[in-house]
Amino acid sequence: MQALMEVPKQQLSKDSVKVWIISETIGNLIGFVILAALFVTDHYFSWPDWVEWLLIALTVLSILSTIWSFYRASLLYKHWRYDVNEEYLQLKSGALHEQHHIIPMTKIQSVSTHQGPLLKKYNLYSVKINTVGSDHEIPALPRAKAFELRDRIAVYAKVEEVEI
Amino acid sequence: MSRKRNHPLMMVYELGNLIKNSLFFFILFFVVKAGSEAWLFVYGRYAVVGLFLLTVLCIPIKWYSRTYQLDVASLHITRNFFVRNQQTVPYTKIQNVQKETKWFHRILGMTSVTLKTSVQGKDHSIRFPVLRKEEAASIETKVQGKTSTPVIRVEEAAQETELPVFEEEKVEDEKVTNQPASKKTVHFTPTKKEIMKAAFASLSFLAFLPILGSLLSKLDDFHFEKQVDGFLSFLFGSTTMLVTTTILFVLLSGGFGIVRTVVKYGKYEIASDKETIFITKGMVDENYISISKDKVQAILIEQSFMKRMMGLATVKLVCAGGNGEESEVSALYPFLPVRRACSLIEELLPDYQLSKQMERLPREAFWIQMLKPSWLWMISTGALFYLKPEPFGLSSAWWVFSVILLVLIMASRALNFYHSNYVIHDHYIQFRTGGFTTSLFLSKRSRIIELEASQTLFQKLLGLASINTVNQANPVRHTSMADVPAHWAETAYQWYTGRKNEVHFVKEGETNHEQVGLDVLRDGYR
C-alpha cells in the first residue's frame, strides 16, 4: 500500500535489532530450561508416553521459533516506520502482517518514555502513546530522539478540536 | 444557588430496595434454617438483624448527606457520609439522560434520573433515585443545554477530602444566548400490526417454554411430584387430550408472546427536536432516554436472520458513555421495517446520509475467506473426537456434529461474503458485514478517532487489505472490514486525513473550548 499521503519515514534505532535478539534469546533460554526440567521429571516419574511426544514436539517448535526470532528482529527493524506532524501520528510496522495506523493528534491522551534494562544498555527508550481506546508503542529510539518525539507529541496533542 | 436533595420519598424507595434485597437472607436464616443449631446460623441471625437495622438507620443519613447543585455549566454532587466527596461534572461530558419510572414512582408521581457520562470507571453515571417529575425535567433541560440562565457561581469552602472526577472548571459568569427550545416531533409509534410482527420476530413466544418448565420443576421442589406426574400422564393419556393440550399450549405461548411484546414495546415513542432524540418505552416500567444528536458517534443497522426474512431491522446509535452492559439503551425501536429504518435515520439525524449504493468485495476475497482455517471448527472437532458423545445411542454422532458445524461455518462465511459491502461517500464511511446476522455501520470522518489499514501475506499476494476504524463508545468500538481491494484501503487512508477540514482546532491562547459558549460545545469528544 503506497499511500498518496506521505509515507512515514522515521526509523527506529539500529540497535533495536540487538535488543530484540537479546530479549528473544533470554526468553528462549528460559523456555529451554523449563523444557529440560520437564524432560528430567518425565524421565524420573515415567509419565505416560504421549507426554514425551508432546515435549519433543514442543522442543522442535521452540528450536524453529528460536531460529526465526533472529531473522524476525531484522525484519521488524526493516519495516518499522513512524512519523509525526501537527495533525497525525503515523505508524507502520510488520513484514508479513503489515499494519498502518493513523491517529489524530487531538485524540492522544498521554505520551511517555520507558526504558528497561536491555534498552538501558544501548541507551534507548521506547515511546508509549495512549489514546482513548488503545495503546501504541514505538519500541526503540535513541534517547535524544525519543525525548524530542515525546515532547513534540505532547505539544501537538494539547490542541483541542471542535467539530464545525 | 441552593443545594438540593433528592425527594424524601427516596428513603421509602431505598427501604423497599433493602427489604427486597435482604429478603433472601431472612428466609434463609429464619425460615429454611430456622431449626439449625450450627454456630453460623445462630450468630448469623443476630448479624442479619443487626446489619439490617444498621442499614435502615443509614438511609436517612444517606439521603440528608447527598446534595446536588446545578450551575451554568456543570453539576456538583456532594456526599458527606463518612468521607466527604465532591464530584463536579461539566454538562459537556454528559452523554445522555435517562429517566426510569418504575411502578413505585408511578404510584407516587415520581421518576428517577440517570446521567451517563463518558467517564470510565465506577463514576460513569450519576443517579437520582427519586425525584419529582418537574425537577427531573429541569435537570434534563439544564444538562442538555436547552435553556441556560446566567448564574453566579458560589465560591465553595475548601473541602477536606475532595475527589472530583474532573478538574474543577473555571467558568466565568457570562451571558449565554438563550435558545428557544425547538418543537418536538414524534417520528414513530408502533401500530398494532407492527407489534404483532414484533411479537413474532422476537420469538418471544418461545420464552413461554422455559417459564413453564421452571414452574413445573418448582412444583416438584415443593413436594407436588405426584400431582405433577399424575397431571402429565393425564394430559398425554389420550389422543384427544394430547391434541387439546397442544392447541392450548400453542395458544397460550402465542398469547404470552404477544403480552410480553406489548408490555415491552407497546408504548414506544421515538421523537426528536432540533438537537435531541427522545425515546420512551415500556408499559409498566417506563423508560425514557434523551440523547443529544451530536453525541451520536455512529449508526448501526442490525438484522438477525429472522428479521431479514420479515424485512425488519434494528437501528442502534453508538454513543460514548455507559458501561457496555446496557447496549439496548442506544437501540431505537428494534423491529422497524427496513425502509422505515432508513427514513427514520434521515429524519432523526439529518447530519448522517445513508448511501444505498455500496461496493461488493472482489472475487479474490471469497477464496481467502472460505479457505481461512476455522479455529472454532478445529477445536470443537478435536473435542468431539476425544469425547465421542453418543446421544440416543448413535455411535457415529461425533463426526456428524463436526460436519454439521463445518457446513454452518461455511454457510456463514459464504453469506458474509455475499453481505459484505463498503463505500465512502463524501465524509461518511459505510461498512456492511455479517453472515446470519448482518450489521451495517455508518459513521462520519470526524467521529472516527483512529484508522488502521493492514495486510497479511496472503492479502498482499491477492491485492487485498483490511480496514479497521475506532469510534468512541464505552470506551471504544472497533469496526473492521476485511479483504477490501488494497487500492480502496489506500483511498480510505487518504480520505481519513481529510478530516482536518471538518474539525476546527482550538489553539492555545485562543478562546478555550469551555468558554466559547455552550452552543458550539456540544460535542462528544474528550
Side-chain angles (χ1 to χ4, degrees), chain A residues 55-71:
Chain A
L55 287 177
I56 289 168
L58 276 176
T59 315
V60 172
L61 281 177
S62 308
I63 291 167
L64 287 177
S65 90
T66 309
I67 297 166
W68 166 237
S69 75
F70 289 107
Y71 185 54

Side-chain angles (χ1 to χ4, degrees), chain A residues 88-102:
Chain A
Y88 300 102
L89 168 72
Q90 281 193 76
L91 304 173
K92 172 182 169 269
S93 63
L96 300 183
H97 187 200
E98 197 177 303
Q99 285 177 304
H100 297 244
H101 283 271
I102 180 160

Side-chain angles (χ1 to χ4, degrees), chain B residues 384-398:
Chain B
L384 281 168
F385 178 75
Y386 185 72
L387 297 168
K388 292 216 169 84
E390 295 183 1
F392 315 114
L394 298 171
S395 58
S396 56
W398 74 270

